[in-house]
Amino acid sequence: MLEFSDKPVLQAKPSNRLLWIGVSLIAILLFTIIFRLIRARAEKMLQSPQKANEVLAVITNSGSTNAPGSTLTILKDGSGSLTYQKGAQEERFSRFVNKTFPRGTFESNQLENMLIQIKDVGTIPNRDCLKSVSFGSTTTITYQGKTSGDLSCLSNEDPKIFLDLKKLVQSMLTHV
């Protein structure tokens, strides 16, 4: 015949019980953290192509007597496209050909960091400065729907971040 007893079959000491509870909580916590990291990485991988094609900024050059105006569109992945506005002077400016640039051509991360620091490029002043009649042009940058003043007219009196942006934009324009 079977006998039943009130005594537990396995009796754990209170300190062992706390140890098992602690280990279980740590295991659950680690599992949760690892799961969230994997999920975040997967979401990032799925979103990357979409975000890579997002326009970061548009750099516009007015052109001059000797060169047509141009628009350099920079995407978040560092790729871009250059489009010339030749207008009625198509034949005269035939050597200027629209171009596309592969991912990583431009320092998009550095540019984005500067633009985030500046917040509103509309705060970049539009100063007057002396320019050559034949080669003088105006260079602006558009970010988040706002357009800067002429970057080429910034001087040492302007904030360092504006001057750093001017330098970066000038270096990007040398790629074209």
Side-chain angles (χ1 to χ4, degrees), residues 147-165:
T147 303
S148 71
D150 187 358
L151 297 176
S152 62
C153 287
L154 293 176
S155 70
N156 291 335
E157 296 173 8
D158 290 300
K160 183 180 182 320
I161 190 74
F162 292 174
L163 298 174
D164 290 344
L165 178 65

Side-chain angles (χ1 to χ4, degrees), residues 11-163:
Q11 189 171 4
K13 293 180 184 176
S15 62
N16 283 346
R17 234 184 259 150
L18 289 176
L19 178 67
W20 280 109
I21 291 171
V23 168
S24 298
L25 288 174
I26 290 173
I28 291 170
L29 182 65
L30 284 174
F31 176 77
T32 304
I33 290 170
I34 291 170
F35 177 75
R36 286 188 178 183
L37 287 173
I38 291 170
R39 193 171 99 193
R41 184 168 287 171
E43 286 176 4
K44 187 176 181 181
M45 288 175 64
L46 292 174
Q47 291 177 354
S48 289
Q50 181 185 16
K51 287 193 174 191
N53 293 331
E54 286 183 21
V55 173
L56 173 60
V58 177
I59 300 169
T60 306
N61 184 284
S62 64
S64 64
T65 307
N66 297 321
S70 62
T71 302
L72 176 60
T73 302
I74 304 206
L75 303 182
K76 289 191 174 192
D77 67 356
S79 64
S81 63
L82 176 68
T83 307
Y84 289 102
Q85 289 82 43
K86 299 176 188 177
Q89 310 231 349
E90 183 80 34
E91 189 175 313
R92 179 171 171 226
F93 293 135
S94 61
R95 66 185 173 102
F96 295 93
V97 180
N98 295 345
K99 300 176 188 175
T100 57
F101 302 92
R103 163 187 270 166
T105 301
F106 301 103
E107 296 289 334
S108 59
N109 289 335
Q110 186 180 2
L111 178 61
E112 185 171 25
N113 289 337
M114 281 186 192
L115 293 171
I116 288 170
Q117 280 183 307
I118 293 171
K119 294 178 185 159
D120 179 0
V121 295
T123 61
I124 297 174
N126 195 17
R127 303 193 190 290
D128 291 326
C129 60
L130 293 175
K131 298 182 183 194
S132 164
V133 173
S134 298
F135 298 100
S137 64
T138 301
T139 302
T140 60
I141 188 164
T142 301
Y143 172 68
Q144 294 184 339
K146 298 186 178 173
T147 303
S148 71
D150 187 358
L151 297 176
S152 62
C153 287
L154 293 176
S155 70
N156 291 335
E157 296 173 8
D158 290 300
K160 183 180 182 320
I161 190 74
F162 292 174
L163 298 174

